[in-house]
Amino acid sequence: MTLNAPASPRIDPTVDRARLRSFEWRSKGLTSALVPTMGALHEGHLALVRAAAKRADTVVVSIFVNPTQFGPAEDFSSYPRDHAGDLAKLAELGVDAVFMPSTEEMYPEGFATTVSLEGPALGLEADFRPTHFQGVATVVAKLLLATQPDIAIFGEKDYQQLLVIRRMVTDLGIPVAIEGLPTVREPDGLALSSRNAYLSEAERATAPLLQATLRAVAGAVLAGDDPATALATARDTLAAGGFAVDYVELRNADTLAPVADPACEPLRLLAAATLGRTRLIDNIAV
Ligand code: PAF
């Protein structure tokens, strides 16, 4: 990938075309990196694309709003879509190819197979979005099989998703390296997300409280305070700020299992809470 190259990326609308392109690159000895997205690209996605360009000879971005990872009452139909804007941003970055399949291409008549998950896919998001990770894992497996990259890059903003995908790739023996990159944030700490577009002005002003509260818990845990007390305080702080809290949890950063001994384990704080009609998630290392 050539940064600032003016050429538009090649668009692959079908699995066959994506596979052919992957074969062409491989036969020329070129490595490739995939950045999977659902479009409505923001600076967080673009940071992943820039990182991809440093790690492989060619970069492919997938844009597919995956219906199977949305619950029946969720925002699939209203999820932001901006294909023209996305393609302009990717052209600006010199991305080589964009895999942009239709729903029928990804889920043809008679589609009946899904990836079944345990381990890091249990609890947290899954308690509130029970079919979400099955949809994510199935579509990511299909995106990897279609584009056949050497490396695929995901943001740590969806930390549980990242661990689910790592586990799946290991367990199914999919030959790709998975890399997670740090969350990109607004100057006030709010994690970038396509769903931030749903926030009203007043909600946008309140939203950084989510990250600030996680930071306060991390500080308390590092100072040796009782994690359960710090987590309860965090839930109260968010509720007082107007959030409807789904969870604020301290977990083992590698497995997402509950923490037995905070002094001896890698730790991750994860939270999900709704502000108005916008469900926000965030996480930080401790
Ligand atoms: O993180 C996302 O944008 C989506 O969950 C992904 C990985 C592109 C699968 O649809």
Side-chain angles (χ1 to χ4, degrees):
M1 173 172 129
T2 323
L3 282 172
N4 302 320
S8 295
R10 162 178 167 169
I11 295 175
D12 295 322
T14 64
V15 170
D16 282 350
R17 286 270 298 274
R19 250 187 225 138
L20 184 61
R21 178 196 33 71
S22 154
F23 176 77
E24 283 167 11
W25 286 346
R26 207 167 284 271
S27 62
K28 289 180 188 155
L30 298 172
T31 58
S32 72
L34 168 70
V35 180
T37 81
M38 297 205 300
L41 302 179
H42 51 63
E43 193 46 47
H45 297 112
L46 303 184
L48 301 182
V49 172
R50 288 190 197 97
K54 295 199 177 112
R55 286 157 177 73
D57 301 319
T58 57
V59 174
V60 55
V61 174
S62 64
I63 299 179
F64 178 62
V65 185
N66 174 36
T68 66
Q69 69 188 73
F70 291 79
E74 293 181 9
D75 56 342
F76 172 66
S77 53
S78 58
Y79 193 84
R81 289 162 171 86
D82 178 17
H83 282 177
D86 290 346
L87 291 176
K89 287 174 190 158
L90 297 179
E92 183 73 20
L93 287 182
V95 161
D96 299 280
V98 180
F99 179 44
M100 215 158 58
S102 65
T103 304
E104 297 69 35
E105 178 70 13
M106 293 300 269
Y107 300 108
E109 186 71 25
F111 187 88
T113 304
T114 54
V115 178
S116 164
L117 306 155
E118 293 190 11
L122 300 179
L124 301 169
E125 283 300 284
D127 287 342
F128 297 88
R129 307 181 74 192
T131 57
H132 175 64
F133 286 125
Q134 180 176 294
V136 168
T138 303
V139 84
V140 170
K142 287 175 66 69
L143 295 170
L144 293 172
L145 289 167
T147 58
Q148 306 193 359
D150 298 280
I151 177 170
I153 303 191
F154 296 83
E156 285 185 347
K157 155 96 178 0
D158 296 290
Y159 191 78
Q160 190 175 9
Q161 166 176 282
L162 174 64
L163 295 202
V164 167
I165 290 164
R166 278 216 174 105
R167 187 76 253 169
M168 173 186 73
V169 160
T170 302
D171 291 350
L172 298 185
I174 302 177
V176 63
I178 300 296
E179 184 165 346
L181 291 180
T183 303
V184 178
R185 297 181 181 279
E186 300 282 6
D188 61 10
L190 177 65
L192 294 195
S193 164
S194 305
R195 289 190 170 100
N196 291 351
Y198 301 152
L199 294 167
S200 71
E201 207 176 312
E203 290 161 356
R204 173 63 191 81
T206 304
L209 183 63
L210 185 58
Q211 198 241 9
T213 304
L214 288 180
R215 293 216 164 281
V217 179
V221 171
L222 287 172
D225 293 359
D226 172 39
T229 308
L231 293 168
T233 304
R235 285 189 274 272
D236 290 348
T237 303
L238 289 170
F243 286 86
V245 180
D246 284 349
Y247 60 84
V248 184
E249 295 271 356
L250 181 68
R251 294 295 178 101
N252 180 296
D254 294 336
T255 62
L256 294 185
V259 174
D261 182 354
C264 302
E265 296 181 46
L267 301 175
R268 199 90 189 179
L269 275 165
L270 305 101
T274 301
L275 198 52
R277 68 184 185 105
T278 310
R279 188 169 183 276
L280 301 173
I281 62 170
D282 204 347
N283 68 86
I284 59 169
V286 179

